[in-house]
Amino acid sequence: MNEAIDLRQFRYFIAVSEELNFGRAAARLHISQPPLSRQIQQLENLLGVELFLRTRSGVTLTDAGRAFLPEARHTLAQAEKAVAIAQAAGSTEQGKLVVGYTTVFDRSVIPDVFEPLRQRFPNWQIVTRGQHSISLVREIKNGKMDVAFIGLHTEAKGLKVETLFEDSLMVALPASHPLARKRKLGFDDLRDEAIFRFERRLNPGFYDHCQACFELIGFRPNTIPEPDDHHILLGLIAEGQGMAFIPASLQNVKRQGVVFRQLKEEAKKLTSGIAVAYAADNRSEILAQLLELVRAIRH
């Protein structure tokens, strides 16, 4: 191999591997598709193997691509970790802590630890980012984020995960709907109703948790696509376009035209909640302090 592989090529390869579509990967990387395709071709030429099989509908990983993916992730994570360690070693009195939080829950349920943390570390920059839980897990593994408040049942293998609280799911439905007259709803009430539901790729762990609960009681929801933002979701429900299973804590978000109803005992296993996730080898003192504050006020 006469030329060195650019770390950027690792990042591009990982994005295409996870999206299995050059267009979506380019959008995620905030670049146009042609330079992404060129970088992947250059990487394949440097390695002397094909990493992807191209089809009209998208791409799939070859055997070489599947073998290369975990190594590419590890290499990129180690490079970013090396930079972070060097920067931290250069200054023990200041730095940056990146904290993520799931956008599925209202921000008000995230433990309010940031002000006391800023008081203890006045010279540190504390950055918060709201994303889907699966993206937060990926950011921590890639070394771009230190810690995140993720939704329960999210697959976070390789990270330390501590449950903060578990939340029952409720039904959000239009206030004008006949079912709004009931205090509690059963799944039999909902069999013919349109139910907003997110795509599995956005959070396979939580999707599978819900699916297992549904299958246990023979419930097959009539689903319609769920928007990413819960404020938009509640707006659509208010318009009468459907219903949704949401965390009980989202009742704090008041929306005219929407009511919330508890589910009957048959739905007891259908839960959500918040957990804090972080890399076990992250020895940052400010992270340790954040975790101490979180554990002191957990539900």
Side-chain angles (χ1 to χ4, degrees):
M1 191 185 302
N2 296 324
E3 297 179 59
I5 296 176
D6 190 331
L7 282 176
R8 178 181 53 178
Q9 292 172 327
F10 281 98
R11 188 173 291 109
Y12 288 2
F13 165 72
I14 292 167
V16 177
S17 299
E18 291 175 347
E19 298 293 340
L20 294 178
N21 181 286
F22 275 89
R24 288 198 300 267
R28 171 174 147 185
L29 293 163
H30 304 292
I31 62 173
S32 60
Q33 189 171 332
L36 173 60
S37 298
R38 284 196 298 271
Q39 288 294 329
I40 295 298
Q41 274 192 323
Q42 288 177 21
L43 178 60
E44 289 177 320
N45 291 337
L46 287 168
L47 294 173
V49 295
E50 280 194 342
L51 298 172
F52 297 103
L53 294 173
R54 280 82 166 169
T55 66
R56 288 184 178 180
S57 59
V59 294
T60 57
L61 284 162
T62 62
D63 289 342
R66 281 190 291 272
F68 186 56
L69 181 56
E71 301 303 323
R73 284 176 173 150
H74 179 71
T75 299
L76 189 60
Q78 284 299 112
E80 291 172 342
K81 182 179 177 182
V83 172
I85 289 173
Q87 290 173 336
S91 175
T92 57
E93 296 183 354
Q94 62 182 359
K96 181 169 76 171
L97 180 76
V98 182
V99 184
Y101 61 91
T102 174
T103 51
V104 172
F105 285 78
D106 186 65
R107 179 71 184 273
S108 64
V109 306
I110 303 299
D112 186 13
V113 298
F114 301 108
E115 189 53 39
L117 204 62
R118 289 188 177 98
Q119 290 175 5
R120 295 184 191 185
F121 298 87
N123 296 323
W124 277 67
Q125 181 185 7
I126 300 174
V127 179
T128 60
R129 296 178 186 161
Q131 294 176 335
H132 285 295
S133 292
I134 195 170
S135 298
L136 298 173
V137 168
R138 183 167 55 230
E139 294 277 274
I140 296 173
K141 289 183 176 181
N142 288 343
K144 297 178 181 177
M145 186 172 286
D146 296 286
V147 60
F149 296 97
I150 65 173
L152 280 188
H153 312 297
T154 299
E155 174 58 55
K157 191 174 181 180
L159 299 181
K160 292 279 286 182
V161 178
E162 300 179 24
T163 298
L164 301 185
F165 72 90
E166 198 160 4
D167 207 3
S168 59
L169 292 186
M170 302 185 72
V171 181
L173 67 157
S176 59
H177 196 284
L179 288 176
R181 301 191 192 102
K182 294 191 174 186
R183 289 180 59 248
K184 288 188 177 183
L185 298 177
F187 286 109
D188 283 340
D189 295 317
L190 306 173
R191 291 189 187 279
D192 298 324
E193 302 297 335
I195 307 291
F196 285 105
R197 196 173 183 196
F198 61 90
E199 294 180 47
R200 185 179 183 276
R201 65 179 179 83
L202 296 177
N203 193 329
F206 184 58
Y207 185 98
D208 292 345
H209 162 73
C210 294
Q211 192 64 29
C213 292
F214 293 157
E215 290 177 359
L216 194 64
I217 58 172
F219 178 61
R220 294 178 177 80
N222 173 26
T223 60
I224 52 179
E226 180 178 309
D228 289 346
D229 186 276
H230 60 257
H231 292 283
I232 296 174
L233 171 64
L234 293 178
L236 294 175
I237 293 171
E239 293 172 6
Q241 296 192 29
M243 304 179 181
F245 296 109
I246 66 165
S249 55
L250 269 185
Q251 292 179 93
N252 297 332
V253 183
K254 303 299 182 184
R255 174 74 197 205
Q256 188 174 0
V258 178
V259 295
F260 303 90
R261 294 292 179 262
Q262 292 182 2
L263 286 161
K264 294 179 180 177
E265 284 298 306
E266 61 189 0
K268 198 171 183 180
K269 293 183 179 179
L270 191 64
T271 62
S272 185
I274 294 285
V276 61
Y278 56 95
D281 60 354
N282 189 333
R283 306 298 182 189
S284 165
E285 176 60 24
I286 190 171
L287 172 60
Q289 291 290 310
L290 179 144
L291 294 173
E292 182 181 301
L293 289 165
V294 166
R295 289 164 186 155
I297 59 175
R298 72 170 63 184
H299 291 214

